[in-house]
Amino acid sequence: MRKLIITAIILTLPSLAMAQTPTEMVKARQEQMKAFGKQVGVFAAMAKGQVDYTPEAAQAAADTLAAEVAKVNESLWAPGTSSADLPGVSEAKPALWENYEKVATLMGNLKTETANMQQQAGLGKPQMLKALGALGETCRACHSDYKLDD
């Protein structure tokens, strides 16, 4: 009986995520992006000399970023959650859903560059800086086309 209950709970978890309202989906994905930005901010502060580069801190930020990127939930990017659908709530341009194949490629690039950062961050500041440049370009490629201007 216990196994049956656990199985039932596990099977309903995905439907719980799908039961979110469009506004809840937007807020959840904005939190994901903030989590990414927090870790990228660690690299940027090291790059600018605002904080000292240490292999340990850079690696910790890279590992945390990789864990956050691994949590990306595509169901949060459902149609009906663009800035046109939810003005003042969503910052995602409708073009994102019109070019979803390109966006999927960009997400793959984010995963690749995050993995690269994870490999390079603790090896030295020059390696971290090079990986940060590639990671930043990946972020800009998506944000410039699919995010409303700040």
Side-chain angles (χ1 to χ4, degrees):
M1 182 63 147
R2 184 175 183 184
K3 285 183 182 180
L4 181 62
I5 293 171
I6 292 171
T7 302
I9 291 170
I10 290 170
L11 291 175
T12 60
L13 288 177
S15 64
L16 291 176
M18 294 173 76
Q20 290 181 315
T21 68
T23 298
E24 290 169 336
M25 289 180 202
V26 170
K27 296 294 183 187
R29 72 180 185 228
Q30 288 171 342
E31 289 303 313
Q32 285 181 333
M33 293 296 154
K34 286 178 188 173
F36 298 171
K38 182 177 178 180
Q39 301 315 311
V40 173
V42 172
F43 305 130
M46 289 179 185
K48 294 174 186 175
Q50 295 169 336
V51 298
D52 291 336
Y53 166 86
T54 66
E56 299 80 15
Q59 190 62 56
D63 292 343
T64 301
L65 177 61
E68 292 297 333
V69 169
K71 293 180 195 175
V72 169
N73 182 347
E74 290 184 26
S75 70
L76 298 178
W77 296 90
T81 62
S82 76
S83 57
D85 301 308
L86 299 167
V89 177
S90 178
E91 297 177 350
K93 294 178 182 176
L96 186 146
W97 288 270
E98 297 162 11
N99 301 294
Y100 206 75
E101 200 170 294
K102 180 181 175 189
V103 173
T105 299
L106 292 171
M107 183 52 72
N109 294 348
L110 175 63
K111 291 176 182 177
T112 298
E113 295 306 333
T114 298
N116 181 53
M117 177 60 87
Q118 197 173 20
Q119 292 173 346
Q120 300 299 315
L123 299 179
K125 188 172 180 178
Q127 293 90 332
M128 184 216 57
L129 291 174
K130 185 175 180 183
L132 178 59
L135 182 61
E137 285 300 315
T138 300
C139 294
R140 274 187 292 282
C142 194
H143 285 204
S144 65
D145 290 342
Y146 303 113
K147 183 179 183 278
L148 293 178
D149 294 331
D150 293 323

